[in-house]
Amino acid sequence: VMPEKKKIYDFLNQNRDIAFATVGSDGKPRIRGFQIMKTDENTHTLYFATGSGKEVYKQLQQNPSVELLCMSGGISVRIAGDAISDVPDATAQEIYSTNSVLSWLYEDYRNLVYFRVPIVSLDYYDLNVDPPVLERYSF
């Protein structure tokens, strides 16, 4: 990972709670709190999990386009991409075993749907410096 991108992944790994936007069946945006379950800096991919009965899952089946926003301490990262549900079983097990919130909510890792979002574009804003920094990346 290039040095300037390392700070972004460090930020995402330390601030896993995000706002996660999907497209509703009516074509309007839907946003909810979500949590990053795993990051892969080499492939610029974020991983998530949800229940198959949830509205977010149905929305992703109809339209995989997503945008997410992570904010903390004057820094924000906005990411766009498409949700893809071809996560290997070993990765699903790793995500389940390393994110305790999942085992509180779901009895078994197989009770969840796992998906990945390869990052298409990323905006990094830092409002702590003068002038503020905006870095844009496309993958």
Side-chain angles (χ1 to χ4, degrees), residues 15-16 36 40 58 62 66-67 71 74 88 90 104 108 110:
N15 300 281
R16 298 166 71 103
I36 299 169
D40 185 332
K58 295 171 189 157
Q62 293 175 356
V66 299
E67 192 165 88
M71 296 176 61
W104 294 338
D108 188 275
R110 290 171 290 224

Side-chain angles (χ1 to χ4, degrees), residues 38-98:
K38 174 180 168 64
T39 61
D40 185 332
E41 299 172 24
N42 296 316
T43 62
H44 306 293
T45 301
L46 304 179
Y47 290 83
F48 302 91
T50 192
S52 61
K54 292 194 173 182
E55 197 64 29
V56 64
Y57 175 72
K58 295 171 189 157
Q59 291 163 355
L60 293 174
Q61 295 294 103
Q62 293 175 356
N63 185 337
S65 294
V66 299
E67 192 165 88
L68 59 95
L69 179 66
C70 182
M71 296 176 61
S72 181
I75 295 174
S76 66
V77 175
R78 182 175 59 198
I79 293 172
D82 285 347
I84 303 166
S85 60
D86 64 355
V87 175
D89 191 65
T91 303
Q93 289 183 55
E94 175 196 345
I95 289 168
Y96 184 82
S97 67
T98 57

